[in-house]
Amino acid sequence: MARIAFILLCHKDPKAVVAQAQRLTAMGDYISIHFDARARPEQFEEIRAALKDNPSVAFAARRIKCGWGEWSLVEATLQAVMAAVEKFPRATHFYMLSGDCMAIKSAEYAHAFLDAEDVDYIESFDFFESDWIKTGMKGDRLHYRHFFNERRHKLLFYANHGLQKRLGLRREVPQDIRVMIGSQWWCLRRRTIEWILDFVRARPDVVRFFRTTWIPDETFFQTLVPHLVPDAEIRRRTLTFLMFTDYGMPVTFYNDHYDLLLSQDYLFARKISPGATELKQRLGELFVSSESTFQISNEGRSLFEFLAGRGRIGRRFSPRFWETESTLGRERELMIVVCKKWHVAKRILDRIRTVTGLPCIEYLFNEESCPLPDLGGIQATIEKRTRHRRSLMRMLFDYYDSNRLVICLDPSSIDLMRDFYADRSTTKMLEVECSFSKPFLIGHAKRVRLAGDRTPPDTLDALLPTIRSDFVYESDQIRDSGFAHVYRLQEEGSVDDNLLALARFLDIPENRAREIAETGYLFVD
């Protein structure tokens, strides 16, 4: 059975460190602690005194003064790893943690998970070819020597960097090493750890290289593991659930995130708020329990992106459009059917096509699989369609040899609507107002991956009002935009009211509009 040696790097809150160590060793596992040498000596002595009688606890032989982005973090990790290898010969896995991490599964589940596959878990992506680094310094992290901490000595850091560039002191990566990058929160097998320690002793040149790279805790282990271990024995993922905001700051979890955390396909989570005492207590009790079955829905990241993204639409970031292409044509008429229930809109389009003969295209800017003619590749992806939307629409008018065209848009596509209404062509809109039942809202959440088949009912109940509110917000945006020629087809409306809206929208006689409005199955879910 798997026995885990947790590698804990910490720098504050001795009581929390002691509690974490006692909790993690309660089920037969081990822990090796490195407490930052920058912390007050009495804090470290408090930890040692509280844990001195626990045989499953080890301490790094040498404490390092750690700084963010420095080699010191890797050195501290190696010190803790060496202590764990020496003291815990029965440890099968070594799991990197911080003081802000907590288990989100039971120890029993974690052991079974690690026993299931004889592999290492570490994010490891090509440093130069991947897009793991989103902003800031990239190649210069490696190609120049960094002797100063960017956070504590910013002027010296950039002066040293600039001087090396001016003097042409660029260095190359060791020839037999392919530098990789990823999260520092890994879980490695004992054999892999021993190979890494052997490599460190045998290759001082590689160690020297990483000593002066910037943020080596994201590259050192991530480079050595695929260098030493067959690719088939590596799972390029972390077992610690963590997310970052748009500003590069870790997302913090609080008391009301318990059910969400348990449903993620991870063993630990980072980072837990220091004040989330209820969450800590519940997770601590879970870790020592015999619970071995968890409903994994894994919707955490998509939920966060959804909820964070709501603040961006007209409230935090202005809409951006990079295309100012020429008009669709003053003589042309674009008719947009806007509906949140795509199946309803598609039925309406089918009836419009049958009754009027007008060319109709479904959700071409929302649905990748929307059938479109071959237009030389511009239609290949949603990204291309959106980027070159006016060119695409002109080509579609030409392809169908018509000055009138009907398309569908999701109500969230407000920027596309504004762009088309700003054109010299005539633009009309038919907003289809539907009722949204709870089953539909649940289905929608699953379709857009905000939820899964195993999402807990409590999470769904909390999510559905937000989704319903978003639907209302999207409709309000359309009304507040002041678009001309907007007509509304209502699920609860009468046939007479709906046929008038259709007649004006399509500019057809009322008797033909009635053929569409009287279709009995339009709004069936």
Side-chain angles (χ1 to χ4, degrees), residues 296-299 302 442 445-447 449-456 460 463:
I296 305 298
S297 53
N298 225 27
E299 76 282 6
S302 56
I442 292 174
K446 292 179 179 178
R447 282 190 294 275
R449 297 184 179 179
L450 294 176
D453 292 334
R454 296 182 177 179
T455 299
L460 282 174
L463 179 63

Side-chain angles (χ1 to χ4, degrees), residues 122-127 130-133 141 179-186 215-223 226 236-238 242 244:
I122 183 169
E123 282 191 353
S124 182
F125 308 105
D126 189 279
F127 185 92
S130 73
D131 63 347
W132 200 87
I133 298 174
R141 287 193 190 188
V179 178
M180 310 294 278
I181 191 167
S183 165
Q184 63 268 51
W185 311 112
W186 40 254
I215 320 181
D217 55 315
E218 293 180 351
T219 53
F220 182 75
F221 292 97
Q222 296 79 359
T223 297
R236 297 177 189 268
R237 56 161 295 192
T238 175
L242 68 161
F244 290 89

Side-chain angles (χ1 to χ4, degrees), residues 6 30 72 113 173 244 258 266 377 380 382 406:
F6 294 103
Y30 314 102
S72 55
F113 184 96
V173 175
F244 290 89
Y258 179 79
Y266 296 86
I382 288 179
V406 186

Side-chain angles (χ1 to χ4, degrees), residues 337-478:
V337 176
V338 177
C339 184
K340 200 67 187 182
K341 290 186 175 181
W342 292 9
H343 61 283
V344 172
K346 290 177 181 181
R347 290 172 189 158
I348 293 171
L349 247 66
D350 183 63
R351 293 296 295 141
I352 290 174
R353 187 184 298 111
T354 301
V355 172
T356 67
L358 287 170
C360 299
I361 304 172
E362 296 173 358
Y363 287 89
L364 72 165
F365 295 106
N366 306 109
E367 193 171 32
E368 197 85 57
S369 61
C370 173
L372 289 169
D374 186 354
L375 301 174
I378 194 174
Q379 82 294 341
T381 65
I382 288 179
E383 182 183 6
K384 285 186 177 181
R385 298 172 203 169
T386 304
R387 187 188 309 129
H388 306 292
R389 56 200 169 279
R390 293 198 185 182
S391 293
L392 174 67
M393 297 310 297
R394 287 199 306 273
M395 294 171 78
L396 287 170
F397 275 112
D398 292 339
Y399 177 86
Y400 289 108
D401 193 22
S402 172
N403 285 335
R404 306 185 75 207
L405 182 65
V406 186
I407 67 170
C408 288
L409 285 181
D410 187 88
S412 63
S413 304
I414 186 70
D415 293 322
L416 283 169
M417 299 174 206
R418 288 171 177 157
D419 190 56
F420 287 135
Y421 263 95
D423 191 76
R424 296 175 186 172
S425 61
T426 300
T427 305
K428 292 182 176 181
M429 182 185 298
L430 180 69
E431 185 181 7
V432 184
E433 297 180 348
C434 302
S435 59
F436 302 109
S437 63
K438 182 176 180 179
F440 174 81
L441 293 175
I442 292 174
H444 174 79
K446 292 179 179 178
R447 282 190 294 275
V448 298
R449 297 184 179 179
L450 294 176
D453 292 334
R454 296 182 177 179
T455 299
D458 290 346
T459 301
L460 282 174
D461 289 340
L463 179 63
L464 296 189
T466 304
I467 295 175
R468 191 185 296 275
S469 174
D470 261 32
F471 290 176
V472 173
Y473 174 72
E474 290 170 356
S475 182
D476 286 343
Q477 275 198 306
I478 293 172

